[in-house]
């Protein structure tokens, strides 16, 4: 996936790939690799790529996204049904045709909720939704069957086509979930540093889970599974807000910017965001651009430390402030984290905050910690901190070297035993872990540092010296659940064949059962059986694999693993996790 290209809506990619003759489809992945190596030149809404010395490929993206197939033009002899146009659409980030509440993309404020195409009781509409859910399920199962190693541009386009069909059938949640899978697959195949295998596993489980439940759902469950095409903004009168912190947004989908978090006098959280297509430079630059609300000239960096008085406010269900014509906002004074009303955010016990996050609430944690020091981990150094007797591992929110996250974490790890208030984002797991977002300044508790935007200096530290990590990562994840999780993740990367060839390690199922995880043992056995299940025709030739059975077996294992991991996470923090749980994409910033 190339962040230099403008986002392309799913229907355009599906149309261009579908128009290719079979011989060109076989060459599409190689065409994508070749195209992304060519420089892209942007001029306003137009991006131009020199395919060779005599041929240019042009993408026209009014409003920031390519929304029509004829907006991608090529000068080669095979155009319009040429490999270059399909390769460009396949290499570009995916744009939503109708945003469905995706927190990584900007949304149009103050628009009413889009109504479904027909009422749930309409037989024709129900049949259309069932067909759309089946199409998405089949396409997602095919991606799982192939794994990221084998899910090339053609399979991605088929899933995007299914996503477009789901959107037209009034299933925006399913459509957005399918697009999230394609985005994750592209990130994996392109070596995107922001790619996380667990994220893609969650996205796959999410889309397969929604598609599986939709045909049988009724009433409120059906409404929830359908989703809404746009988040409705509700009037919220006048608000007095206090800045908390700002964080950069840098996504695998090609969007970047900043989001600033604020709180009112009751501790309710509200956000203001500036997110658009772009890369790391936009993420760092957005902090110094004015927030888009009312007539205020405050930048995101200033708002994170100041306040805001808003009249005629409109707010989305996630707490995002609308910027409609009737909204008025002026600068107001801010307060320190240790002053009211912000102080109350840190008064809530950590276990209670984790319980809230695991049960569908905000995933932000407001903690008071004592840095113990840096520890070594495969992905890089982490900060081990003491939180009222609980050892917590704090990691960076972004690994991009253009952002100061990792260096700031190393400096905080050397800040001695100074007690600091921090803001972090929960990372579910068997060991207390969180992404570090903001912290009090080590030398001044009345000041704060946005760790993804501000840069600490060695002179800011009491000792002024950064020591190398002298500790190994604390032991964790002792429960043998990892035996099942590893197979779930291996399938995402290598597809069904990896599990079919690997077979079950002797004793894995027995070990799970001895640990009291009998269901995990059964699921592991069923997953391997589904992966290895291949029938033969009368001539002894292998028949195509049953992708539906494998998808259902994998989904069952993924849902179970997610539920148990949530329970382990709650236990690690001394929290509680209620409800059925279920596989879902990992928490992301809400802005």
């Amino acid at each position: 996936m190339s962040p230099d290209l403008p986002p392309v809506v799913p229907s355009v990619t599906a149309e261009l790939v579908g128009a290719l003759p079979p011989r060109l489809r076989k060459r599409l992945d190689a065409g994508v690799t070749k195209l992304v190596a060519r420089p892209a030149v942007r001029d306003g809404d137009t991006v131009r790529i020199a395919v060779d010395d005599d041929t240019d490929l042009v993408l026209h993206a009014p409003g920031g996204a390519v929304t029509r197939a004829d907006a991608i033009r090529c000068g080669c002899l095979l155009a319009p049904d040429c490999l270059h146009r399909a390769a460009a659409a396949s290499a570009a980030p995916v744009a939503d045709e109708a945003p469905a509440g995706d927190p990584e993309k900007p949304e149009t404020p103050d628009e009413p909720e889009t109504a479904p195409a027909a009422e749930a009781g309409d037989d024709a509409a129900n049949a259309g939704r069932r067909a759309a859910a089946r199409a998405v399920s089949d396409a997602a199962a095919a991606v799982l069957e192939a794994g990221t190693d084998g899910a090339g541009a053609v399979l991605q386009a088929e899933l995007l086509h299914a996503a477009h069909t789901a959107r037209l059938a009034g299933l925006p949640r399913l459509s957005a979930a399918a697009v999230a899978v394609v985005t994750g697959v592209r990130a994996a195949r392109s070596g995107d540093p922001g790619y996380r295998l667990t994220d893609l596993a969650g996205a796959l489980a999410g889309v397969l889970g929604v598609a599986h439940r939709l045909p049988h759902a009724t009433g409120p469950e059906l409404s929830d599974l359908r989703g809404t095409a746009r988040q409705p903004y509700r009037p919220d009168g006048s608000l007095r807000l206090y800045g908390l912190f700002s964080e950069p947004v840098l996504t695998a989908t090609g969007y970047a910017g900043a989001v600033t978090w604020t709180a009112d006098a009751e501790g309710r959280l509200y956000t203001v965001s500036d997110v658009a297509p772009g890369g790391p430079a936009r993420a760092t630059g957005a902090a110094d651009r004015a927030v888009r609300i009312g007539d205020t000239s405050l930048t995101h960096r200033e708002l994170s430390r100041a306040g805001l008085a808003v009249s005629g406010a409109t707010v989305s269900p996630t707490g995002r402030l609308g910027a409609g014509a009737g909204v008025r906002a002026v600068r107001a004074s801010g307060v320190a984290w240790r002053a009211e009303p912000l102080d109350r955010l840190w008064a809530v016990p950590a276990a209670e905050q984790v319980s809230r996050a695991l049960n569908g609430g905000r995933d932000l944690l407001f903690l008071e910690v004592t840095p113990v020091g840096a520890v070594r981990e495969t992905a890089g150094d982490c900060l081990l901190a003491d939180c009222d007797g609980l050892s917590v591992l704090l990691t960076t929110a972004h690994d991009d070297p253009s952002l100061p996250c990792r260096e700031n974490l190393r400096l905080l790890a050397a800040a001695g035993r100074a007690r600091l208030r921090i803001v972090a984002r929960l990372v579910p797991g068997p060991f207390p872990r969180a992404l570090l977002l903001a912290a009090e300044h080590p030398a001044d508790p009345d000041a704060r540092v946005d760790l993804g935007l501000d840069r600490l200096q060695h002179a800011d530290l009491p000792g002024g010296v950064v020591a190398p990590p002298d500790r190994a990562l604390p032991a964790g994840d002792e429960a043998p659940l990892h035996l099942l999780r590893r197979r779930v993740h291996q399938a995402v990367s290598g597809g069904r064949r990896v599990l079919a060839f690997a077979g079950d390690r002797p004793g894995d199922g027995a070990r799970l059962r001895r640990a009291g995880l009998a269901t995990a043992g059964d699921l592991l056995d069923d997953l391997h059986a589904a992966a290895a299940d291949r029938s033969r025709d009368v001539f002894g030739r292998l028949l195509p694999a049953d992708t539906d059975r494998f998808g259902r077996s994998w989904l069952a294992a993924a849902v179970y693993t997610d539920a148990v991991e949530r329970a382990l996470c709650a236990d690690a923090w001394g929290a509680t996790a209620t409800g059925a749980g279920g596989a879902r994409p990992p928490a992301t910033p809400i802005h």
Side-chain angles (χ1 to χ4, degrees), residues 96-238:
D96 278 346
E97 292 171 290
D102 184 347
E104 294 182 347
K105 300 180 178 63
E107 66 187 20
T108 305
D110 309 323
E111 290 201 24
E113 176 181 340
T114 300
E119 295 301 321
D122 187 323
D123 290 341
N126 285 335
R129 293 191 185 104
R130 285 195 296 270
R134 180 76 261 176
V136 170
S137 179
D138 290 345
V143 168
L144 178 64
E145 159 85 10
T148 56
D149 295 341
V154 174
L155 283 181
Q156 295 169 30
E158 290 173 356
L159 185 51
L160 289 177
H161 181 268
H164 179 63
T165 301
R167 171 181 166 271
L168 296 180
L171 301 173
R173 178 179 172 183
L174 185 61
S175 176
V179 168
V181 170
V182 174
T183 297
V185 169
R186 289 184 178 180
R189 292 175 62 85
S190 65
D192 191 310
Y195 167 71
R196 297 292 183 271
L197 176 59
T198 53
D199 291 2
L200 180 54
L204 268 167
V207 70
L208 288 171
V210 172
H212 176 74
R213 293 163 57 197
L214 261 169
H216 315 288
T218 58
E221 183 187 13
L222 177 59
S223 297
D224 177 63
L225 291 174
R226 278 200 314 238
T228 56
R230 293 189 186 274
Q231 294 193 61
Y233 279 68
R234 56 176 173 79
D236 208 13
S238 297

Side-chain angles (χ1 to χ4, degrees), residues 390-487:
L390 182 69
S391 294
V392 179
L393 200 63
L394 301 173
T395 59
T396 58
H398 298 280
D399 289 327
D400 193 286
S402 63
L403 301 178
C405 304
R406 188 159 297 284
E407 183 62 23
N408 283 339
L409 184 141
R410 292 183 61 250
L411 290 170
L412 283 177
R417 299 194 64 83
R419 195 152 177 82
L420 298 172
R421 285 190 169 181
I422 64 169
V423 182
R425 178 167 287 115
L426 176 68
V427 178
F431 187 87
R433 179 188 291 262
L435 303 178
L436 190 57
L437 303 174
E440 287 178 330
H441 196 286
D444 183 3
D446 290 332
R448 66 195 70 159
V449 181
D450 296 333
L451 295 169
L453 298 171
D454 303 327
R455 289 188 181 273
L456 282 170
Q457 304 296 325
H458 285 220
D460 295 328
L461 303 182
V465 178
V466 179
D470 58 358
R471 300 169 179 83
L473 183 65
D477 196 16
E478 294 299 327
L481 184 67
H482 69 272
L483 299 174
L484 179 60
R485 185 199 314 115
R486 179 177 64 235
R487 298 306 188 194

Side-chain angles (χ1 to χ4, degrees), residues 480-577:
L481 184 67
H482 69 272
L483 299 174
L484 179 60
R485 185 199 314 115
R486 179 177 64 235
R487 298 306 188 194
V488 168
H489 288 174
Q490 281 180 337
V492 174
S493 295
R496 179 194 56 79
R497 291 184 179 182
V498 171
L499 268 63
F501 293 153
D504 190 10
R505 287 190 177 184
D508 279 359
R511 182 180 173 187
L512 287 166
R513 293 181 181 92
R514 285 197 302 270
L517 299 174
T519 301
D522 293 343
L523 289 170
L524 181 60
D525 292 343
D526 183 68
L527 184 58
H528 280 292
D533 184 16
R534 293 292 301 274
S535 301
R536 295 180 181 272
D537 62 17
V538 294
F539 299 105
R541 295 172 299 194
L542 281 174
L543 295 173
D546 186 348
T547 58
D548 186 59
R549 182 198 170 186
F550 179 66
R552 284 186 281 108
S553 296
W554 181 88
L555 177 61
V559 168
Y560 173 88
T561 303
D562 176 81
V564 175
E565 286 185 332
R566 290 175 68 248
L568 291 173
C569 179
D571 182 69
W573 288 87
T576 57

Side-chain angles (χ1 to χ4, degrees), residues 4-292:
D4 296 328
L5 297 176
V8 178
V9 298
S11 58
V12 169
T13 304
E15 178 181 343
L16 293 178
V17 174
L20 291 177
R23 64 181 182 83
L24 291 183
R25 284 193 174 200
K26 295 178 181 179
R27 296 167 49 192
L28 181 55
D29 290 330
V32 171
T33 302
K34 183 177 179 180
L35 188 72
V36 296
R38 306 293 296 176
V41 179
R42 185 181 295 270
D43 181 12
D45 293 335
T46 300
V47 174
R48 187 178 303 274
I49 303 173
V51 176
D52 54 40
D53 293 339
D54 302 315
T55 306
D56 281 351
L57 180 70
V58 178
L59 295 86
H60 186 52
V66 176
T67 59
R68 296 170 55 91
D70 58 11
I72 302 180
R73 302 187 299 273
C74 183
C76 75
L77 296 176
L78 296 179
D81 297 333
C82 65
L83 185 68
H84 305 127
R85 298 175 70 219
S90 300
V94 183
D96 278 346
E97 292 171 290
D102 184 347
E104 294 182 347
K105 300 180 178 63
E107 66 187 20
T108 305
D110 309 323
E111 290 201 24
E113 176 181 340
T114 300
E119 295 301 321
D122 187 323
D123 290 341
N126 285 335
R129 293 191 185 104
R130 285 195 296 270
R134 180 76 261 176
V136 170
S137 179
D138 290 345
V143 168
L144 178 64
E145 159 85 10
T148 56
D149 295 341
V154 174
L155 283 181
Q156 295 169 30
E158 290 173 356
L159 185 51
L160 289 177
H161 181 268
H164 179 63
T165 301
R167 171 181 166 271
L168 296 180
L171 301 173
R173 178 179 172 183
L174 185 61
S175 176
V179 168
V181 170
V182 174
T183 297
V185 169
R186 289 184 178 180
R189 292 175 62 85
S190 65
D192 191 310
Y195 167 71
R196 297 292 183 271
L197 176 59
T198 53
D199 291 2
L200 180 54
L204 268 167
V207 70
L208 288 171
V210 172
H212 176 74
R213 293 163 57 197
L214 261 169
H216 315 288
T218 58
E221 183 187 13
L222 177 59
S223 297
D224 177 63
L225 291 174
R226 278 200 314 238
T228 56
R230 293 189 186 274
Q231 294 193 61
Y233 279 68
R234 56 176 173 79
D236 208 13
S238 297
L239 297 173
R240 175 63 169 92
L241 304 175
Y242 302 85
L244 271 170
F245 72 100
S246 291
E247 62 173 319
V249 175
L250 186 60
T251 78
T253 61
Y255 285 80
V259 55
T260 299
W261 292 80
T262 66
D264 67 6
E266 303 300 322
R268 291 186 295 262
L269 301 182
Y270 298 82
T271 58
V272 182
S273 64
D274 179 0
V275 182
R282 193 181 195 287
T284 55
D288 296 312
R289 281 192 285 271
V291 298
R292 295 182 295 181

